[in-house]
Amino acid sequence: MTAFEISSLVRRRAELRLGVRITAAGLFSFVLGEALALPQSYWAVFTAVLVVQTSVGGSFKAALDRLIGTVSGAVYGALVATLVPHNDALTLGTALFVSLAPLAVLASLNASFRVAPVTAVILLLGNTG
């Protein structure tokens, strides 16, 4: 490595640390998911990669927002999946609208709910493919 390359790395120390933290969080969640034999443990890896921020406070806030959005999307999505028939394409489209419309508005009004529509869609469409 040249002196210029080393100096570039030194100047980017914070970014490199963040890259290491993201990698470690992703790998740790993968290993934990495999060790616990969790089905679809890749969601844990996605979550870990998404919530790791440049500061611990930022990571905590992102994790809390993701938890709030995931739980609210799952609860509402489960209610819609239970109460709204969705046996064919037309009724599935209706159930999807009933799931997405209020959650999308909620997500646009409050960033804590950004993941709620995604969770509801996964829950509703997860077994239709």
Side-chain angles (χ1 to χ4, degrees), residues 2-26:
T2 67
F4 176 74
E5 291 169 330
I6 292 172
S7 111
S8 293
L9 289 176
V10 169
R11 282 194 315 265
R12 298 285 191 177
R13 187 173 54 240
E15 291 88 347
L16 292 172
R17 262 196 322 263
L18 177 60
V20 169
R21 286 177 56 205
I22 292 169
T23 303

Side-chain angles (χ1 to χ4, degrees), residues 30-118:
F30 173 76
V31 168
L32 189 60
E34 290 295 312
L36 296 173
L38 297 175
Q40 301 177 344
S41 61
Y42 54 87
W43 288 109
V45 177
F46 290 151
T47 299
V49 169
L50 288 171
V51 301
V52 173
Q53 304 292 315
T54 55
S55 69
V56 174
S59 293
F60 179 75
K61 171 74 169 110
L64 185 61
D65 284 351
R66 177 118 174 146
L67 176 66
I68 290 167
T70 299
V71 169
S72 59
V75 168
Y76 185 72
L79 282 172
V80 170
T82 301
L83 300 175
V84 178
H86 53 282
N87 302 326
D88 57 46
L90 182 61
T91 58
L92 183 58
T94 302
L96 189 59
F97 175 79
V98 171
S99 288
L100 278 179
L103 292 177
V105 170
L106 183 61
S108 71
L109 297 173
N110 187 331
S112 294
F113 295 97
R114 280 183 301 207
V115 75
V118 175

